[in-house]
Amino acid sequence: MLNIHKILYVSHAADDESSGLLQAFGVARNTGAVIKVLLVCPSVPEGFEEFIALCEEALLKRVRSEIESAQKRMNLNEDQVKLEIECDCGPRPAERVIRRVLSDGYDLVVKNVEGHNQRKGFKAIDMELLRKCPCPVWLCRPIERPQKEIRVAVAVDPECGAAGTYDLAIRLLRWARMLADSCSGTLHIVSCWDFDVDEYLRRHFPLNATEEELDEATEVARSRHHSKLEVLIRASNIGGDLQLHHVIARPDNYIPLLIEEESLDLLVMGTVGRAGIPGFIMGNTAENILQKVSCSLLALKPSDFASPIKV
């Protein structure tokens, strides 16, 4: 079991909170973690300061009602999930959330996807959390299935020579396995390899090679990549029901299509930053995938990632 002790659930109290609360409660029930519900809302305009207390009271009342409803849907007693609620109003909500993570040592941030009808991709606050939050970020979309039918997938790249990216791949597999065990039991492992022989060799270069020789070279590359994937899975020490999706494809094209075709509910993936760029920018592939996925997302960063946000 993963060491998840403290979960920060971020609420806007503006949209239906049920999706995020149900998914947060599910993790807390399985790990014994304590949940802090942080209600973030914009600053009250100048001249309306006298209404701050009334505004916060109304928002907190709504959040408490949503929490009670989610607990009833999951048949949870108050003793089964420990939580506290706090209201935090002010500008730059993503930065305030990240500062809480840094100062209070949260292991996971859970939040509904910004924008009630946002079917694909992520908007400003969500993207800032994905880029800058040091702990895993779980962005929730509605899941209609019962928990025991929820389908979990993880995207990994076995070409991870650096220690940081290797560690991240192992953590991705272990997080995904833990979540799949509490859901359908089947873990979909997605790994794409880019060996574009048609584009770079067959079309553009006058090689003295037959089609059969090029096909053979492709198969050797595929087999090598698949072997590295199997080694990575063994190193993660996960078991259970595994379904491999190992294909020649661009991951930012294939993964969103697989989510639709397999009706996947949760994707676990890593976001890797480019060193030396202020503000932390994710790699192009990760950015492209994020803007196309239509399911809930759990995003992890390398363990040595340092957020540009300071306490």
Side-chain angles (χ1 to χ4, degrees):
M1 181 179 292
L2 298 171
N3 293 322
I4 306 174
H5 304 292
K6 298 175 66 176
I7 297 173
L8 183 63
Y9 179 82
V10 180
S11 167
H12 287 291
D15 297 325
D16 181 4
E17 296 281 350
S18 59
S19 301
L21 287 170
L22 290 172
Q23 292 172 53
F25 285 166
V27 176
R29 180 176 59 185
N30 294 330
T31 62
V34 175
I35 297 180
K36 173 70 167 283
V37 177
L38 184 66
L39 172 57
V40 294
C41 51
S43 302
V44 175
E46 186 177 353
F48 289 82
E49 289 82 4
E50 62 184 285
F51 297 103
I52 291 177
L54 291 174
C55 179
E56 289 186 359
E57 182 180 348
L59 292 172
L60 287 169
K61 182 178 180 181
R62 178 169 179 172
V63 170
R64 289 191 179 99
S65 176
E66 295 267 11
I67 289 171
E68 291 176 5
S69 176
Q71 287 174 325
K72 287 179 181 178
R73 286 182 61 180
M74 295 186 68
N75 295 317
L76 291 174
N77 299 322
E78 290 185 4
D79 296 338
Q80 288 179 278
V81 175
K82 301 175 184 178
L83 61 82
E84 58 179 288
I85 308 171
E86 182 181 341
C87 191
D88 183 3
C89 295
R92 298 183 294 277
E95 288 189 15
R96 296 204 309 278
V97 169
I98 294 169
R99 288 194 177 97
R100 291 295 186 110
V101 170
L102 292 167
S103 63
D104 298 340
Y106 287 99
D107 304 302
L108 175 66
V109 169
V110 182
K111 180 185 174 297
N112 268 352
V113 169
E114 186 182 359
H116 187 62
N117 297 316
Q118 185 82 359
R119 184 176 177 273
K120 290 186 178 182
F122 301 96
K123 297 173 73 175
I125 296 175
D126 294 345
M127 289 303 297
E128 188 166 2
L129 290 174
L130 290 171
R131 291 184 177 111
K132 300 177 183 178
C133 185
C135 76
V137 176
W138 187 322
L139 297 175
C140 306
R141 287 190 166 92
I143 297 177
E144 303 300 332
R145 293 187 178 92
Q147 182 171 346
K148 290 301 181 182
E149 298 178 14
I150 291 174
R151 300 176 181 180
V152 179
V154 58
V156 291
D157 181 4
E159 301 283 357
C160 45
T165 53
Y166 177 81
D167 172 71
L168 176 60
I170 296 293
R171 288 168 52 226
L172 289 168
L173 289 165
R174 290 175 177 171
W175 269 88
R177 179 71 269 172
M178 183 271 290
L179 294 169
D181 286 344
S182 67
C183 297
S184 70
T186 298
L187 174 59
H188 295 259
I189 300 179
V190 190
S191 187
C192 302
W193 59 290
D194 193 2
F195 192 75
D196 204 340
V197 174
D198 285 329
E199 182 68 24
Y200 293 104
L201 298 183
R202 299 184 197 270
R203 297 180 186 177
H204 292 291
F205 296 98
L207 296 179
N208 294 321
T210 65
E211 292 289 320
E212 290 76 13
E213 289 172 325
L214 292 175
D215 289 340
E216 182 178 350
T218 301
E219 175 56 27
V220 169
R222 186 207 65 80
S223 179
R224 184 182 298 115
H225 191 275
H226 190 273
S227 295
K228 290 181 179 180
L229 177 60
E230 291 181 328
V231 169
L232 184 65
I233 293 171
R234 287 197 298 272
S236 70
N237 200 30
I238 63 171
D241 184 9
L242 304 177
Q243 185 168 338
L244 297 183
H245 304 270
H246 181 250
V247 295
I248 297 182
R250 288 180 55 88
D252 46 352
N253 290 331
Y254 178 75
I255 291 174
L257 289 175
L258 182 69
I259 290 170
E260 299 285 350
E261 291 174 358
E262 295 286 342
S263 298
L264 300 173
D265 300 296
L266 173 64
L267 172 66
V268 182
M269 63 172 279
T271 55
V272 181
R274 296 175 182 170
I277 298 181
F280 176 60
I281 297 177
M282 286 181 287
N284 289 336
T285 298
E287 289 269 6
N288 291 340
I289 293 172
L290 292 174
Q291 294 308 326
K292 296 177 183 178
V293 297
S294 57
C295 63
S296 293
L297 173 77
L298 174 61
L300 279 67
K301 297 183 184 67
S303 55
D304 59 353
F305 168 74
S307 175
I309 305 298
K310 305 303 177 186
V311 179

